[in-house]
Amino acid sequence: MPDKTIPVASLGFPRIGRHRELKFALEGFWSGKISETELLETAARLRAENWALQREKGITHIPSNDFSLYDHVLDTAVMVGAIPSLYGWAGGDVSLSNYFAMARGSQSEGHAGCGHGHEGHSHHGQGVPALEMTKWFDTNYHYMVPEVSEDQHFVLTSQKPVDHFLEAKALGIHTRPVILGPVTFLKLAKAREAAFKPLDLLARLLPVYEELLRRLRAAGADWVQIDEPVAVLDLSEGERHALAVAYRALSKAAPDLKILLATYFGGLEDNLEAVASLPVAGLHVDLVRAPDALETALKALPENRVLSLGVIDGRNIWRADLAAIITRLEPVIAARGAAAFQIAPSCSLLHVPVDLELETGLDADLKSWLSFATQKLGELATLGRALGEGKAAVATELEAASKAVAARASSPKVTDAAVQKRIATIGEADRKRVSSFAERQKVQSQAIALPLFPTTTIGSFPQTPEVRKARSAHSKGALTDAQYEKFLQKETEATIRWQEEIGLDVLVHGEFERNDMVQYFGEQLSGFAFTQHAWVQSYGSRYVRPPIIFGDVSRPKAMTVRWWEYSQSLTDKPVKGMLTGPVTILNWSFVRDDIARSLTCRQIALAIRDEVNDLEAAGAQMIQIDEAALREGLPLRHRDWQDYLGWAVECFRICSSGVGDRTQVHTHMCYSEFNQIIDAIAAMDADVISIETSRSKMELLDAFRTYKYPNQIGPGVYDIHSPRVPAVGEMVDLLALARERLEDRQLWINPDCGLKTRKWEEVRPALVNMVAAAAELRRAV
Ligand code: MET
């Protein structure tokens, strides 16, 4: 009986398609293989399929306008006319080529991602650059950063939300359109001139939103979901006030249109009073990230408002404990009445893969513990029926869920007593190098003869089409292990020889054997699983398939020693051992929800520590542990930073403290904001840290100078995001700026990041110039 069920919502569904149809259509369109019409047809088909699927699964509030060809924040910018003049838009409809120019730049070579493509960066090169891109809150999804100017004029350029609503309506499906809220939009936007804050433009933006709401209402919408995830951040009084101003205006725009204000990725906490008092019909809260928010939200929310209960995890892939959720919600719903609630995922399902059923290679037990977007729809519907009609109506589903949850909780595949025992014995000495940096440096400089301003690279060399072809041939069985191994050896040897030839001081093996800096390690560790089809959008047409950490993590055997030994056997110059750090592995994986993240991180740290020790035993004098994602893992609330940084730093130290003074530990971080975390960086106590600096004119080294950071630093002098080859003089100039901030004895010379996304034609001259810049510097001192 549908009228007895509680409304069940999905706040957004993945847009990429079960088989990545959107990616292939986009790439086909960009390369001229398919027409605009074909691209748009594919997009419409995906929307229709998603709507139909959600209806079939029993979702009653089905979202529309959650679909985007590239990014929903970009869609919003385009919709309100926030289009920087350089894209040549002259008013009226925004063409697809304008849209994609903002997304990717024109004459684009795409975003040259730093390593994983997980860091914010803008496109450099010729033609029109793309908008900047950065991480969407604490997810691994990246949005295009809107740019607004002080004299910004907003205008409704498109009716995409209305069009999609009508498109669904024509298919017989009544949807709840989703739009990005005006306060979040402006808070995420970047001011073109430093003199103002984008939020100051709110009064000018609101009429556009009001117009949109009126049109949605006229088209027949009764509910609209307006996303304001900024409500879970530390907000200023002014920002809270902006929410009040915005929703006072929007609630009047189309009086019969009910607004569900959606907040997610955390609790409202100190913003609760302000948000709960907004004049909207309903509020969505994330009860996965903030389980305690239920009682406080109930108390704060006026009786006549609907509370949307975000109880199914939209950020992770585990099957939910439906019985526990029901037990928790039953009394609450009985007290206020079913009409006061909606059942929902914690956030949009954008962040989880589409359909578990596609996975044929997963361990059967593990598979039975998982739930992807499609399965989550089923869980939501089951909850709705159990809470509305009663548990008996869905007894089979509930029993299956309980069985899976119980099986996972007691499975020997999840727990490893040896790992737990080892974790319990980590002591002070395991987190501390034997001697201080000053002493280590003395020992190291005697053990390893290096010139002043040593030159090195970050690890990877170009992943050429040949390298990728060989890898895929190997995984398909077309290349035998031996043939593939031989191919990799040849690539590695050529790279070592070339580095020697141009005179780099510290060499790397090039990472040709690695598919990805996280996956490569995950595949060799216990407790990790990999999927075949579980893609999640990272940005635009780029999707990632994060590993699933399901059990206690350990390292059955050495992972990289063989490749290091082989490379070092080819040369007398030192070759760095090259590892990915535990925090980065953790942050780029789906993690367990049955133990703390910090505990999993410690387990990975112990595994990496073993690898570090093995590399040392094999003779490595330098070992680099990359922590590319350490900074991006910072929690959304400031208050939680210390805790996170505390265990993140501890984990790095666990990895690096098993070796003697003589072994030089390097780390790499490919980003450029250190001011707020400089204490933590210093506490990591790496002997050498390389960072991304080439575009910041070395200004970010100020944080290190102010701190009097004592260890060695390699500030990047070659912007690897660009195909441009930097000239010797440019790098010398950058290094002069670095020398104003650091002592000569501290300085290393290296690119900003790994070179895997570049071409050899670019890398060769750039590194030759880099070595020449070092020589020039040495001559000058
Ligand atoms: N060693 C890795 C590389 O050079 C570090 C990448 S950081 C995103 O690719």
Side-chain angles (χ1 to χ4, degrees), residues 162-184:
V162 181
D163 296 341
H164 287 190
F165 174 81
L166 293 172
E167 191 179 300
K169 194 170 161 187
L171 296 168
I173 298 179
H174 182 78
T175 57
R176 181 170 75 183
V178 185
I179 54 180
L180 181 60
V183 178
T184 296

Side-chain angles (χ1 to χ4, degrees), residues 13 33 64 209 232 234 312 377 424 458 547 584 634 663 674:
F13 198 76
K33 284 194 202 102
S64 57
Y209 270 83
V232 308
D234 296 319
I312 293 291
L377 298 174
I458 306 306
T584 300
L634 278 171
T663 301
F674 288 98

Side-chain angles (χ1 to χ4, degrees), residues 114-115 458-460 511 517 578 626 628 668 670 753-754 756:
C114 181
I458 306 306
S460 57
E511 303 181 24
M517 63 184 286
M578 193 59 64
D626 293 321
H668 171 69
C670 45
C753 192
K756 67 175 141 211

Side-chain angles (χ1 to χ4, degrees), residues 385-404:
R385 292 190 62 195
L387 290 161
E389 301 167 45
K391 283 184 276 200
V394 281
T396 327
E397 288 89 338
L398 294 182
E399 200 192 311
S402 294
K403 255 173 80 183

